Amino acid sequence: MAYSLAELKKDVAAGSIDTVLVAFPDMQGRMIGKRFQAEYFLEVANDETHGCDYLLADDIDMEPVPGYAAANWGKGYGDFVMKPDLATLMKATWLEGTAIVLCDLSDHHHHEPIAHSPRAILKRQLDRLAAMGYTANAATELEFYLFDEDYRTIAQKGFAKAQTAGDYIQDYHIFQTTKEEGVMRALRKHLQASGIPVESSKGEWGPGQEEINVKYADALTMADRHVVLKNATKEIAWAQGKAVTFMAKWDYALAGSSSHIHMSLADKSGKPMFVDAKDERGMSDVMKHFMAGQLAYARDITYFLAPYINSYKRFQAGTFAPTKAIWSPDNRTAGFRLCGEHSKSIRVECRMGGADLNPYLALAALIAAGIEGIEEKLPLEPAFVGDAYVTQKLREIPKTLREATDTLRGSAMLKDAFGEEVIAHYVHTAEWEQGEYDRRVTDWELKRGFERS
């Protein structure tokens, strides 16, 4: 990320950097790791450190989850290797004297990649593309809500009536977002200064809802930027006494937060492979097959775009979130949208993903489905025209985590692409999430049934 080890050494010697965050993305897409004294990190930068393997076998509360084959009490929850990828080295200018490096994970004994680690899953799909002569480029538009209260205050209120930074719909609204510019300007400036090129931020549809976009990049770089961006957003807001949430649907009455994923393929020289000037829309056959695969396997991959119970509360008609896995040119009611028609930037936008997705898993799943479409030479179905919310007999996005888990469990395509053990690992993750929800008594149930039942 445009910061070299040699530059780090100079900054450490000058005293401007004293801490290095050595982290990896976990199953939830969070940065997990250690803070190294910078001088010591320089001694081990080309070596490795270790972490407990339960960190890829836990839930969002970081509780060790029983039943995983890869890590469990019977195996003693041993270590895995954290190997810094120095290509990800970057400053974290929003944290005093701090740099960040992301890690790949490998087995402590034989040093093979941890197959179920999110970064390894994405790298495997990128290797498959490379064998076909392609590279993948992507952008992950990220939305979130900003609050004028801190996390502790909101929690002490039971998360009820949290005060959003805005008071009314602020979609593209300049004056309203000026009120939130203290956080958003700091976020843009620090990301840019830290090596993550920012394009823009804007107000989204909900009060206090924001969107930030960073520059299109290769898929692995984009995923790395995404996890750092989320972490930075929380830290910058927290430093100003505010909070953010990346929940897909934090309030029933307000718009959900998405992470729309734009994607295209290029050859190894960087030439765009989705472009064909002779086509009526400018789409190459490769693009048509790639999109056809994503459509054909949209239900198989939904879990990796919507990994929690709450994720499915976002899929509501008339909210700019899709309910149908179909494609359409420049139509925001469709699950997949054709963007950049008749241009060199032509690409497919998947609108299914929520802001709570893990970018490595989401990109890997979309690429795997696209590869299948290319390999099978799947024909692209006709473009949908109209309001997909009200049109019947269209391919439905799974409506619940339970439904998405069932399709994941039965997906031969994903088992071939990711490996059966990896899919079993994430099916178990989904089943645990469902089970934890099923046994809880919610506020809605108490309000509805305490007196009336």
Side-chain angles (χ1 to χ4, degrees):
M1 292 188 181
Y3 186 51
S4 69
L5 187 61
E7 290 171 311
L8 175 62
K9 289 178 180 178
K10 290 180 181 178
D11 287 340
V12 173
S16 59
I17 296 290
D18 55 63
T19 301
V20 180
L21 302 184
V22 179
F24 66 90
D26 70 356
M27 293 194 297
Q28 290 75 28
R30 302 172 296 192
M31 285 175 55
I32 303 294
K34 310 174 183 180
R35 278 177 156 82
F36 274 69
Q37 185 65 27
E39 291 84 354
Y40 181 70
F41 174 77
L42 292 176
E43 295 180 19
V44 299
N46 290 300
D47 197 358
E48 60 192 38
T49 186
H50 299 82
C52 179
D53 64 9
Y54 105 92
L55 292 166
L56 288 178
D58 60 349
D59 65 9
I60 199 168
D61 292 322
M62 301 201 80
E63 287 291 334
V65 173
Y68 283 110
N72 52 61
W73 290 117
K75 290 185 174 182
Y77 285 120
D79 278 355
F80 50 47
V81 170
M82 298 169 56
K83 175 69 173 176
D85 179 351
L86 295 178
T88 70
L89 187 64
M90 61 178 291
K91 290 182 180 180
T93 65
W94 64 95
L95 298 173
E96 185 177 358
T98 301
I100 293 172
V101 69
L102 298 179
C103 296
D104 289 311
L105 303 181
S106 60
D107 187 272
H108 181 57
H109 301 287
H110 52 65
H111 284 251
E112 289 297 314
I114 301 293
H116 56 277
S117 64
R119 213 163 184 263
I121 290 172
L122 177 54
K123 281 187 163 186
R124 179 173 176 175
Q125 301 315 303
L126 295 176
D127 287 345
R128 293 179 67 206
L129 270 182
M132 301 166 69
Y134 301 127
T135 60
N137 297 312
T140 55
E141 298 176 355
L142 190 55
E143 298 173 355
F144 57 92
Y145 275 85
L146 175 64
F147 298 88
D148 280 339
E149 301 175 282
D150 62 28
Y151 284 115
R152 182 167 290 170
T153 301
I154 292 170
Q156 288 171 345
K157 291 167 56 175
F159 300 95
K161 298 181 180 179
Q163 180 58 59
T164 54
D167 298 313
Y168 48 80
I169 292 175
Q170 60 185 68
D171 202 11
Y172 291 89
H173 201 297
I174 295 298
F175 174 54
Q176 180 57 37
T177 53
T178 296
K179 301 173 186 178
E180 298 139 18
E181 188 62 344
V183 169
M184 297 307 297
R185 181 170 181 263
L187 179 59
R188 294 192 310 271
K189 285 181 64 178
H190 281 299
L191 290 175
Q192 188 76 24
S194 300
I196 297 181
V198 176
E199 291 187 348
S200 64
S201 66
K202 61 178 281 290
E204 261 298 327
W205 201 26
Q209 191 179 28
E210 320 290 339
E211 177 181 299
I212 188 160
N213 294 297
V214 300
K215 192 174 180 180
Y216 210 59
D218 69 271
L220 183 61
T221 296
M222 181 53 60
D224 291 339
R225 288 173 176 172
H226 183 115
V227 296
V228 173
L229 188 160
K230 284 185 73 172
N231 197 67
T233 304
K234 289 181 178 181
E235 290 176 339
I236 289 169
W238 172 83
Q240 296 189 26
K242 300 178 186 291
V244 300
T245 186
F246 293 95
M247 286 183 69
K249 190 77 170 178
W250 86 273
D251 188 305
Y252 167 77
L254 298 178
S257 292
S258 67
S259 180
H260 299 155
I261 296 177
H262 295 246
M263 187 175 291
S264 61
L265 299 184
D267 67 13
K268 293 181 179 180
S269 71
K271 178 184 176 182
M273 297 303 295
F274 276 9
V275 179
D276 184 349
K278 297 178 181 178
D279 181 74
E280 63 177 342
R281 298 189 186 278
M283 302 169 67
S284 70
D285 288 342
V286 169
M287 181 178 190
K288 292 175 183 178
H289 295 322
F290 191 82
M291 287 180 63
Q294 291 185 338
L295 291 164
Y297 295 101
R299 290 176 56 82
D300 295 46
I301 66 175
T302 296
Y303 168 75
F304 293 116
L305 297 164
Y308 302 107
I309 295 286
N310 178 260
S311 307
Y312 297 82
K313 310 293 174 70
R314 176 176 153 264
F315 297 132
Q316 296 182 19
T319 66
F320 288 102
T323 58
K324 307 293 198 309
I326 45 90
W327 82 278
S328 187
D330 204 20
N331 183 338
R332 286 178 167 85
T333 71
F336 292 83
R337 184 169 72 114
L338 175 64
C339 298
E341 190 173 347
H342 295 298
S343 77
K344 65 180 182 180
S345 64
I346 193 168
R347 62 200 183 277
V348 56
E349 176 194 35
C350 175
R351 299 179 58 81
M352 291 168 57
D356 54 354
L357 59 71
N358 181 321
Y360 301 92
L361 302 178
L363 286 166
L366 285 165
I367 290 168
I371 287 174
E372 195 75 7
I374 293 172
E375 290 183 338
E376 294 181 14
K377 289 184 166 49
L378 294 179
L380 182 61
E381 62 196 47
F384 174 81
V385 178
D387 183 351
Y389 291 132
V390 300
T391 304
Q392 303 298 313
K393 296 182 180 180
L394 296 175
R395 187 186 300 105
E396 296 274 356
I397 295 171
K399 292 181 174 61
T400 63
L401 177 61
R402 187 176 276 106
E403 185 180 353
T405 304
D406 287 341
T407 61
L408 175 65
R409 185 186 297 107
S411 177
M413 183 277 290
L414 282 173
K415 289 174 184 176
D416 287 342
F418 287 15
E420 291 195 21
E421 291 181 355
V422 171
I423 294 303
H425 190 91
Y426 283 93
V427 166
H428 186 66
T429 303
E431 290 174 337
W432 176 265
E433 179 74 10
Q434 185 70 59
E436 286 296 278
Y437 176 81
D438 287 345
R439 68 191 182 94
R440 295 306 200 276
V441 178
T442 66
D443 292 347
W444 181 84
E445 292 170 277
L446 284 171
K447 182 177 179 180
R448 188 177 177 89
F450 192 90
E451 176 182 342
R452 298 178 182 90
S453 60

